């Protein structure tokens, strides 16, 4: 008897597709139905995603989740792959937390 995958499993599996279009559509579908259980996989994929547009959609999917989940999880994006992780962390936190943005002041 053949087993069928749950749609969530299929979407998460699609994030690893060699096709950027498939990954983009999977990230979009995941973001339209936010689920906290998907956050670790979204963060993991966002940190290594080579395609800018897919990374943007992954970030959008992440910020659809409650701030209480995304802000504490954002430091996970700072380990490893340099600039991509920093950009992903910045974008994941900034819309959720004004305190995450640096304040630049000019004295005098």
């Amino acid at each position: 008897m053949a087993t069928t995958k749950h749609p969530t499993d299929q979407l998460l599996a699609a994030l690893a597709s060699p096709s950027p279009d498939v990954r983009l559509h999977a990230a979009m579908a995941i973001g339209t139905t936010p689920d906290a259980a998907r956050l670790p996989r979204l963060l993991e994929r966002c940190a290594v995603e080579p395609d800018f547009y897919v990374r943007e959609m992954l970030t959008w999917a992440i910020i659809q989740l409650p701030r209480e989940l995304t802000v504490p999880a954002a430091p996970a994006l700072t380990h490893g792959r340099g600039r991509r992780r920093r950009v992903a962390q910045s974008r994941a936190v900034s819309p959720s937390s004004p305190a995450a943005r640096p304040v630049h002041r000019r004295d005098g």
Side-chain angles (χ1 to χ4, degrees):
M1 180 162 100
T3 59
T4 57
K5 284 187 168 184
H6 186 276
T8 297
D9 296 336
Q10 292 174 341
L11 290 173
L12 291 174
L15 292 177
S17 169
S19 168
D21 289 334
V22 171
R23 295 192 310 269
L24 180 72
H25 288 284
M28 188 181 309
I30 289 170
T32 58
T33 54
D35 180 353
R38 297 175 183 158
L39 181 60
R41 288 288 298 275
L42 290 171
L43 290 168
E44 180 182 292
R45 187 64 208 180
C46 195
V48 298
E49 175 57 53
D51 186 270
F52 172 80
Y53 297 105
V54 177
R55 225 174 21 256
E56 286 291 303
M57 191 57 65
L58 287 165
T59 301
W60 173 81
I62 291 168
I63 65 172
Q64 300 312 301
L65 295 167
R67 185 170 85 185
E68 303 80 51
L69 296 173
T70 58
V71 173
L77 293 172
T78 61
H79 303 292
R81 306 213 181 223
R83 186 171 188 280
R84 282 189 194 147
R85 283 188 179 247
R86 286 192 303 275
V87 169
Q89 179 192 27
S90 170
R91 293 192 176 151
V93 174
S94 293
S96 300
S97 174
R101 290 181 230 139
V103 175
H104 299 284
R105 294 184 181 160
R106 291 187 177 186
D107 295 329

